[in-house]
Amino acid sequence: MFFLAVDRATNKPLEPPSEFIVKVQDINDNPPEFLHGPYYARVPEMSNVGTSVMQVTATDADDPTYGNSARLVYSILQGQPYFSVEPQTGIIRTALPNMDREARQEYDVVIQAKDMGGHMGGLSGTTEVKITLTDVNDNPPKFPQSVYAMSVSEDKVSGEEVGRLKAKDPDLGENGLVSYRFIEGDGMTVFEITTDTDTREGVIKLRKPVDFETKRAYTLRVEASNTHLDPRFIAWGPYKDTATVKVMVEDADEPPAFMATSYSFEVEENAPDGTVVGRVHAKDTDVANNPVRYMIPRYTDVEQFFSVGPEDGIIKTTRPLDRETLPWHNISVSATEIGGHHQDTKVRVNIKVKDVNDNAPEFATQNEILVCENVSPGKLIETVSAVDKDEMVHRQYFHFSIAPEAVNNQNFSLKDNRDSTASIYVTRRGFSRMTQDVYFLPIEINDNGIPPMSSTNTLTIRVCSCDSKDTILSCNVEPYILPAGLSTGALIAILACIVILLAIVVLFVALRRQKKEPLIVFEEEDIRENIITYDDEGGGEEDTEAFDIATLQNPDGANGFLPRKDIKPELQYPMRPGGRPVANSVDVDDFIKTRINDADNDPTAPPYDSIQIYGYEGRGSIAGSLSSLESVTTDSDLDYDYLQSWGPRFKKLADLYGTKDSADDNS
């Protein structure tokens, strides 16, 4: 810092500037501060005395080099006697042994920092430290009670729950995990125990069903132990506990029980109805020991081959059985307790039908034997075998022989091979299909059973033509009649061609008939006479114009040919000259006859009468109106006598009007 002395009057310096050094002396005017508080710390429970928890640090803004203003000393204001703090470093340590988390888990500790080395007059600051004790496995599991009572009904099935028990462990997490097991008791094979991971309970379940009538109570010893151990605290063990479980079996109304899980019986086929097959037996397992009633469910014996005694359980046949139709009968018998809850139990009964030799043997196949016409005597032509629906016993075989009625035949012989087969040989030479093409050889087959059964079966032998190598060419007689070289296949092909040609001819004729049509085809019906509709409307006196000869003729087409409108002619013929009356003709009758004659002789017209269609309007009538309406209301001096000249078709009008007018005039 520089200072300068100046004259007040002149403001001029009196001497050169002088430098002064000013030293500010610190005083203790700033208290200590914990900049990061409050603090949180964790320490395991049961830690040894002096275990470090954490270190806290305070700061002081005063000059640490001058005096004791920034010299701090730490002390604990709250948290004793559990914790302590080192005065110089601020390290917090445990002060008591065996601090138990289960007794107290959290502690609030207040630490003070004071400057001036802790002497009187120093400033101070405080901070809060929240200390939590963490868990260790220092507690064994403990059952709340030494004996547990449970019960289970005898109708429960394997896997059902019997009861639960729980050993308490105040430790947390894996330190508190408990497992359960049976260590002794008379129900160790009947029950099992597992651990519920959510509730930490021991769950006792049935391993196999219990029976009240056999055993009514079980005693079990259960042990609960920690799964995770802390080596530091093993000496504090053992970390396990035991309890006794007594399980009482409750009585339930159970269905009857059969003495066997299934029954197997045998009965001979063809045995008369009422033959005893066997007996089933069931009893009530309850204490009441009620009687049992038996029955066969209908669905297991649909055809009701068997019956069962309702009280004694004896099964009998209701009709003779046939082993060849059904060798086994699998039925069920139901037992129901009388007087209980009508519960029933079913048991399987397998009944085998024993074989009786009641079926005669027969040929295994019914094929024909083919023999060449030139076969040599003594040649083996076939080896036959037989089948029998009955069972073949040991050393039983079929015996073959020619039937007595054919023993003396000179054509074939038989040799029994004594292995259920027989060989057929030819005994003569020279067979002819033209003479006889089929031979029947009756063979008797005996099954040698008890009782023996036999049957006569006919063997069919057909004579065929063969080549020099004994290859069969044909076994039919027809080829001898047909031309040489024509086989059966060729004959079939020829017949097929003939049938196809006939079908084509029939189809062609049918199509030709369908194409014939009438000269004129009407869509709905064939009308021989047509009524023509005119599109013009008349009114009043103009009605009469329709009857004027001028309206029935076409002046514009008088000299031309008027075509038909009902058909479209292919050719047009000119009208005969002089065949049409002139336009001024008043003979309507002649006009109409002429038109009819033209239509009849017209080659383009249909072959029947038709009223002609006129597609033009008349130009007026020289007769005027013929309406009777006007004649009634007005007087008319017209002369209608000219109607007499119009022909017989207008005679009635001429008589009515002409006569009346004449009479009026005479009066």
Side-chain angles (χ1 to χ4, degrees):
M1 181 177 294
F2 295 92
F3 291 91
L4 182 65
V6 298
D7 188 353
R8 290 184 176 179
T10 61
N11 201 25
K12 292 181 179 180
L14 298 178
E15 58 182 8
S18 300
E19 181 181 0
F20 295 89
I21 297 174
V22 180
K23 186 176 183 181
V24 179
Q25 184 176 359
D26 182 44
I27 63 173
N28 187 20
D29 58 350
N30 291 284
E33 294 181 352
F34 292 93
L35 300 179
H36 303 289
Y39 298 90
Y40 297 90
R42 300 167 67 87
V43 64
E45 64 173 331
M46 299 297 173
S47 296
N48 297 326
V49 175
T51 301
S52 175
V53 178
M54 72 172 302
Q55 182 180 14
V56 295
T57 303
T59 60
D60 195 323
D62 294 329
D63 186 4
T65 63
Y66 181 78
N68 294 327
S69 298
R71 182 166 168 259
L72 304 180
V73 175
Y74 299 94
S75 61
I76 182 168
L77 300 182
Q78 179 180 321
Q80 294 175 334
Y82 307 103
F83 301 95
S84 63
V85 62
E86 292 183 357
Q88 306 301 325
T89 61
I91 297 175
I92 303 173
R93 298 181 183 275
T94 59
L96 284 180
N98 302 328
M99 285 193 295
D100 191 5
R101 184 201 65 82
E102 288 73 31
R104 182 176 178 181
Q105 184 173 358
E106 294 184 350
Y107 296 85
D108 293 326
V109 178
V110 177
I111 301 298
Q112 180 188 62
K114 189 175 183 180
D115 57 11
M116 296 301 292
H119 295 92
M120 294 293 294
L123 302 177
S124 64
T126 61
T127 186
E128 183 178 353
V129 181
K130 186 177 291 293
I131 300 175
T132 301
L133 298 181
T134 58
D135 184 62
V136 297
N137 189 10
D138 59 337
N139 293 281
K142 186 70 176 177
F143 284 109
Q145 57 195 71
S146 59
V147 178
Y148 291 85
M150 301 179 182
S151 62
V152 60
S153 177
E154 63 176 340
D155 59 356
K156 298 296 183 182
V157 297
S158 300
E160 291 202 36
E161 183 177 319
V162 176
R164 295 184 175 221
L165 70 166
K166 183 177 181 180
K168 294 183 177 180
D169 190 332
D171 295 324
L172 300 177
E174 65 177 13
N175 296 323
L177 294 180
V178 179
S179 63
Y180 302 88
R181 69 186 183 96
F182 293 136
I183 56 176
E184 62 179 353
D186 55 2
M188 295 183 64
T189 59
V190 180
F191 303 93
E192 62 181 359
I193 186 169
T194 58
T195 303
D196 189 327
T197 56
D198 295 330
T199 62
R200 297 185 180 179
E201 294 177 315
V203 182
I204 300 176
K205 298 180 180 180
L206 271 178
R207 178 177 292 181
K208 60 183 180 180
V210 293
D211 184 17
F212 175 81
E213 289 72 27
T214 304
K215 189 174 179 60
R216 303 186 180 185
Y218 295 89
T219 301
L220 297 166
R221 191 76 173 167
V222 181
E223 179 187 81
S225 59
N226 286 134
T227 56
H228 296 85
L229 300 179
D230 193 332
R232 296 175 298 174
F233 306 102
I234 290 180
W236 294 17
Y239 287 88
K240 62 181 67 175
D241 193 18
T242 60
T244 301
V245 178
K246 293 185 177 181
V247 182
M248 305 300 296
V249 180
E250 297 178 348
D251 188 22
D253 188 10
E254 299 175 291
F258 282 96
M259 299 296 99
T261 56
S262 65
Y263 293 88
S264 296
F265 302 119
E266 293 183 351
V267 61
E268 287 188 352
E269 66 173 329
N270 302 326
D273 56 326
T275 301
V276 176
V277 176
R279 180 184 181 186
V280 296
H281 181 62
K283 67 176 183 178
D284 182 15
T285 57
D286 297 322
V287 177
N289 194 19
N290 292 322
V292 174
R293 186 173 296 275
Y294 304 92
M295 65 170 291
I296 298 177
R298 178 66 59 86
Y299 65 89
T300 66
D301 185 19
V302 178
E303 299 186 24
Q304 300 183 20
F305 288 107
F306 306 95
S307 65
V308 62
E311 297 179 358
D312 55 15
I314 297 177
I315 301 174
K316 298 180 181 180
T317 61
T318 59
R319 57 181 135 162
L321 306 178
D322 184 13
R323 188 204 67 87
E324 287 70 39
T325 302
L326 194 59
W328 282 89
H329 294 267
N330 301 315
I331 66 173
S332 295
V333 176
S334 173
T336 305
E337 176 185 347
I338 301 176
H341 292 81
H342 302 288
Q343 300 184 77
D344 67 333
T345 301
K346 297 180 179 62
V347 68
R348 194 70 173 172
V349 179
N350 303 314
I351 302 174
K352 179 182 179 181
V353 182
K354 298 172 62 177
D355 184 46
V356 173
N357 193 28
D358 58 346
N359 290 277
E362 58 187 13
F363 280 143
T365 60
Q366 298 294 333
N367 298 331
E368 290 184 343
I369 300 176
L370 305 181
V371 177
C372 294
E373 289 180 304
N374 56 352
V375 63
S376 301
K379 182 177 181 179
L380 173 65
I381 60 173
E382 185 68 16
T383 299
V384 295
S385 60
V387 293
D388 194 332
K389 295 180 180 179
D390 296 320
E391 292 180 344
M392 296 290 291
V393 299
H394 184 59
R395 294 183 179 180
Q396 180 181 353
Y397 63 90
F398 297 115
H399 176 71
F400 298 85
S401 62
I402 296 178
E405 62 269 20
V407 170
N408 297 324
N409 82 92
Q410 303 298 321
N411 301 314
F412 307 98
S413 63
L414 180 146
K415 177 185 177 183
D416 191 345
N417 298 323
R418 304 186 65 83
D419 60 354
S420 296
T421 64
S423 300
I424 309 298
Y425 296 91
V426 177
T427 58
R428 74 177 178 89
R429 180 188 302 274
F431 290 91
S432 174
R433 285 186 298 160
M434 299 301 296
T435 304
Q436 183 175 353
D437 63 335
V438 177
Y439 293 87
F440 299 100
L441 182 63
I443 298 177
E444 185 178 284
I445 309 175
N446 192 298
D447 61 8
N448 197 27
I450 301 176
M453 299 291 293
S454 63
S455 66
T456 300
N457 297 260
T458 302
L459 189 65
T460 303
I461 303 172
R462 184 175 296 276
V463 180
C464 303
S465 63
C466 305
D467 58 12
S468 59
K469 297 181 180 180
D470 291 339
T471 302
I472 295 176
L473 299 178
S474 175
C475 295
N476 299 320
V477 180
E478 288 77 7
Y480 286 94
I481 304 174
L482 297 175
L486 189 60
S487 64
T488 303
L491 177 62
I492 294 175
I494 293 173
L495 292 176
C497 292
I498 294 174
V499 172
I500 293 174
L501 291 175
L502 290 176
I504 294 175
V505 172
V506 172
L507 180 62
F508 179 78
V509 173
L511 292 177
R512 288 292 301 272
R513 289 183 178 178
Q514 291 181 358
K515 289 184 178 180
K516 292 184 179 181
E517 299 177 353
L519 295 176
I520 297 180
V521 178
F522 292 89
E523 293 182 359
E524 295 184 359
E525 60 181 351
D526 187 7
I527 303 176
R528 296 305 183 194
E529 295 183 359
N530 297 329
I531 298 176
I532 309 305
T533 301
Y534 294 88
D535 294 332
D536 58 335
E537 296 182 0
E541 294 300 327
E542 295 180 0
D543 293 344
T544 60
E545 295 182 2
F547 300 96
D548 186 47
I549 189 64
T551 64
L552 299 177
Q553 296 178 348
N554 185 4
D556 298 332
N559 297 326
F561 175 75
L562 182 63
R564 293 286 302 270
K565 287 191 175 182
D566 52 353
I567 65 171
K568 183 178 180 180
E570 297 180 358
L571 298 174
Q572 295 185 357
Y573 296 89
M575 295 184 62
R576 293 177 299 171
R580 174 189 291 273
V582 296
N584 295 329
S585 175
V586 296
D587 191 351
V588 178
D589 185 57
D590 293 339
F591 170 75
I592 293 174
K593 290 180 178 180
T594 302
R595 297 293 294 174
I596 293 174
N597 184 54
D598 292 342
D600 292 341
N601 297 322
D602 188 356
T604 63
Y608 49 80
D609 294 341
S610 175
I611 297 178
Q612 303 302 304
I613 300 173
Y614 303 93
Y616 60 89
E617 296 182 359
R619 295 186 176 182
S621 174
I622 61 176
S625 174
L626 298 180
S627 174
S628 61
L629 297 177
E630 185 178 359
S631 64
V632 174
T633 57
T634 61
D635 294 333
S636 176
D637 55 357
L638 276 175
D639 185 6
Y640 296 99
D641 290 339
Y642 63 89
L643 294 174
Q644 299 289 343
S645 62
W646 281 22
R649 294 179 181 272
F650 294 88
K651 184 176 184 304
K652 186 66 175 177
L653 291 175
D655 293 341
L656 290 175
Y657 290 95
T659 305
K660 182 179 179 181
D661 292 343
S662 300
D664 293 339
D665 294 338
N666 293 334
S667 62

